[in-house]
C-alpha cells in the first residue's frame, strides 16, 4: 500500500440477521485509501449493503473488525460522522425536509450550526449540483433522478471527506446516470473526496472506479484490483451472477472475426482504437 493513508478497513466480519441469515464478509480484507474511488461489484443479495451498514455503525459484526478513520463505527460514529456523507439505495428514507432547500439545511442545523452559515453551505451545494431550479419544490413531487441529487446534496452539505453510496445508479434514466457519474468524478478530482460505492452495473465500473472489489455468494470478497486487471483475468462472469461488460463482448466478438483491437473498458479508448484501425484500412 506504500505511504497511502488507509481510512477504511474491514477484516473478516460476520453478521447474523434476525431471520438467521448469515453474511460473512471475508476472503480478502476490504481496504480503502484516501482519495480512491472504490466500487464493490456484485449481484443483488450478495452482502454489499450489509458491508455499507457496518461502515456506518448501523450493523454490528458478531465477529471481525471494522475501522473507519481509525475508529470503530459501532462505538464511536459520532466522532467521525462529520467526515462522512451517505446516499442510501432508497433515498426516500433519508429525504426529510418538506422542500429541497429545507432538506439540505437539516444536517448543518442539526450540527448546531448558525442559520446563516448553514444557508451559505446549502447554497454552495445547490449550485455545485445544479439544482437551483428545484430548490423550492416539495420533495414528494420530484423524479427519481432529482431525489438522488437532493440526497447527494444532503450528504455533501457538510463537505465530507468520504462519500458512501449504496447502488447510486439504480432506477436512474441514462441522462441522470451520466450527470451523477460526472458529479462524483468531479468531487473526487477537485475536492479529493474518497468514494465507496456498491454497484451491479458492470458497464459503469470503468467510468467511476480506481479500485474494484468483486463480491459474490454471501459476502465473499474474492477480487481486488483495477477494473482492467480484474476484467482482464475474469473468464466466467456468470459464475458471479454478473453480465460481461458490453465493450469486452464487443472486442471479443471482433477478435473472433479476425479483427484484434485488444481489450478496452473505457469508451474513449475503444473509440480511439477503432479509429486507428479504420485509418490503417483506408
Amino acid at each position: 500500500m506504500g505511504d497511502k493513508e488507509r481510512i477504511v478497513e474491514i477484516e473478516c466480519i460476520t453478521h447474523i440477521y434476525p431471520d438467521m441469515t448469515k453474511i460473512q464478509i471475508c476472503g480478502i480484507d476490504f481496504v480503502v485509501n484516501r482519495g480512491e474511488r472504490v466500487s464493490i461489484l456484485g449481484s443483488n443479495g450478495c452482502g454489499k449493503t450489509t458491508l455499507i451498514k457496518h461502515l456506518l455503525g448501523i450493523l454490528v459484526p458478531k465477529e471481525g473488525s471494522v475501522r473507519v478513520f481509525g475508529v470503530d463505527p459501532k462505538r464511536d460514529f459520532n466522532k467521525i460522522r462529520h467526515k462522512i456523507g451517505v446516499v442510501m439505495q432508497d433515498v426516500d428514507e433519508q429525504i426529510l425536509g418538506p422542500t429541497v432547500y429545507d432538506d439540505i439545511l437539516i444536517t448543518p442545523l442539526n450540527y448546531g450550526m448558525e442559520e446563516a452559515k448553514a444557508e451559505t453551505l446549502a447554497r454552495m451545494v445547490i449550485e455545485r449540483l445544479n439544482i437551483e431550479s428545484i430548490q423550492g419544490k416539495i420533495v414528494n413531487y420530484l423524479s427519481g433522478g432529482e431525489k438522488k441529487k437532493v440526497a447527494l446534496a444532503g450528504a455533501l452539505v457538510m463537505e465530507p471527506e468520504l462519500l458512501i453510496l449504496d447502488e447510486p445508479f439504480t432506477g436512474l434514466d441514462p441522462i441522470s446516470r451520466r450527470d451523477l457519474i460526472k458529479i462524483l468524478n468531479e468531487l473526487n478530482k477537485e475536492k479529493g473526496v474518497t468514494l465507496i460505492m456498491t454497484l451491479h452495473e458492470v458497464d459503469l465500473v470503468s467510468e467511476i472506479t480506481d479500485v474494484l472489489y468483486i463480491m459474490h455468494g454471501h459476502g465473499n470478497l474474492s477480487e481486488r484490483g483495477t477494473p482492467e486487471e480484474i476484467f482482464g483475468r475474469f473468464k466466467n462472469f456468470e459464475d458471479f451472477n454478473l453480465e460481461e461488460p458490453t465493450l469486452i463482448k464487443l472486442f471479443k466478438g471482433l477478435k473472433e472475426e479476425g479483427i484484434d483491437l485488444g481489450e478496452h473498458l473505457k469508451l474513449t479508448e475503444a473509440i480511439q482504437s477503432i479509429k486507428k484501425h479504420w485509418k490503417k484500412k483506408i
Side-chain angles (χ1 to χ4, degrees):
M1 293 294 169
D3 57 358
K4 292 179 180 176
E5 183 188 354
R6 185 177 292 190
I7 61 173
V8 171
E9 187 168 16
I10 292 178
E11 294 180 3
C12 200
I13 58 173
T14 300
H15 185 77
I16 300 172
Y17 283 95
D19 66 356
M20 301 312 290
T21 299
K22 184 177 182 180
I23 303 281
Q24 196 166 34
I25 298 172
C26 279
I28 54 176
D29 290 346
F30 180 76
V31 174
V32 178
N33 298 305
R34 185 177 290 279
E36 288 179 334
R37 299 174 302 163
V38 175
S39 293
I40 309 152
L41 180 66
S43 59
N44 291 334
C46 70
K48 301 189 301 293
T49 299
T50 299
L51 183 151
I52 293 296
K53 288 182 175 179
H54 279 85
L55 293 180
L56 300 173
I58 297 169
L59 295 181
V60 179
K62 194 169 181 65
E63 298 169 354
S65 70
V66 182
R67 307 294 289 177
V68 181
F69 291 109
V71 305
D72 181 345
K74 76 174 185 284
R75 284 207 304 262
D76 295 313
F77 191 73
N78 277 342
K79 292 181 180 177
I80 58 171
R81 66 177 186 144
H82 63 286
K83 297 184 177 185
I84 301 172
V86 184
V87 179
M88 298 305 285
Q89 190 170 348
D90 186 357
V91 292
D92 285 320
E93 291 182 6
Q94 69 181 97
I95 298 177
L96 304 173
T99 70
V100 169
Y101 188 72
D102 293 328
D103 184 78
I104 297 167
L105 273 179
I106 285 174
T107 302
L109 291 177
N110 279 348
Y111 273 89
M113 191 177 287
E114 290 180 9
E115 195 164 337
K117 177 79 184 295
E119 287 178 347
T120 299
L121 288 177
R123 283 194 294 271
M124 283 168 59
V125 79
I126 284 167
E127 187 178 335
R128 170 168 274 279
L129 299 186
N130 195 26
I131 54 175
E132 293 96 334
S133 62
I134 63 167
Q135 63 182 312
K137 284 192 174 182
I138 295 171
V139 293
N140 290 348
Y141 300 120
L142 301 177
S143 69
E146 288 170 337
K147 284 182 179 178
K148 202 77 89 169
K149 281 188 178 179
V150 174
L152 183 59
L156 293 175
V157 69
M158 294 299 291
E159 300 181 322
E161 297 171 36
L162 170 63
L163 184 59
I164 298 174
L165 307 105
D166 192 13
E167 299 284 3
F169 306 108
T170 299
L172 293 186
D173 60 74
I175 292 173
S176 297
R177 202 161 54 224
R178 295 280 146 220
D179 282 350
L180 186 52
I181 288 171
K182 182 172 180 285
I183 289 164
L184 293 175
N185 283 335
E186 284 175 354
L187 284 167
N188 173 259
K189 188 174 181 180
E190 295 170 13
K191 299 282 189 181
V193 177
T194 305
L195 304 177
I196 299 176
M197 290 159 286
T198 65
L199 299 172
H200 65 265
E201 305 94 341
V202 291
D203 283 331
L204 299 182
V205 169
S206 63
E207 298 181 51
I208 196 79
T209 306
D210 300 313
V211 178
L212 177 62
Y213 286 88
I214 301 290
M215 183 181 279
H216 59 97
H218 287 286
N220 185 11
L221 284 170
S222 61
E223 302 277 345
R224 181 189 195 276
T226 67
E228 290 77 12
E229 287 169 345
I230 290 179
F231 290 148
R233 65 177 177 253
F234 246 49
K235 299 302 174 200
N236 198 343
F237 285 81
E238 290 179 7
D239 288 349
F240 294 83
N241 284 329
L242 295 170
E243 195 170 344
E244 198 169 35
T246 302
L247 286 176
I248 286 183
K249 282 193 276 190
L250 170 65
F251 284 99
K252 273 186 182 176
L254 287 170
K255 190 173 183 179
E256 287 168 7
E257 295 295 323
I259 306 169
D260 189 354
L261 302 181
E263 292 181 358
H264 303 281
L265 277 173
K266 293 180 179 172
L267 187 59
T268 51
E269 292 173 5
I271 290 168
Q272 290 306 314
S273 180
I274 291 168
K275 276 175 71 177
K276 195 173 176 182
H277 175 77
W278 188 259
K279 283 178 181 175
K280 281 182 183 175
K281 297 291 284 183
I282 291 174

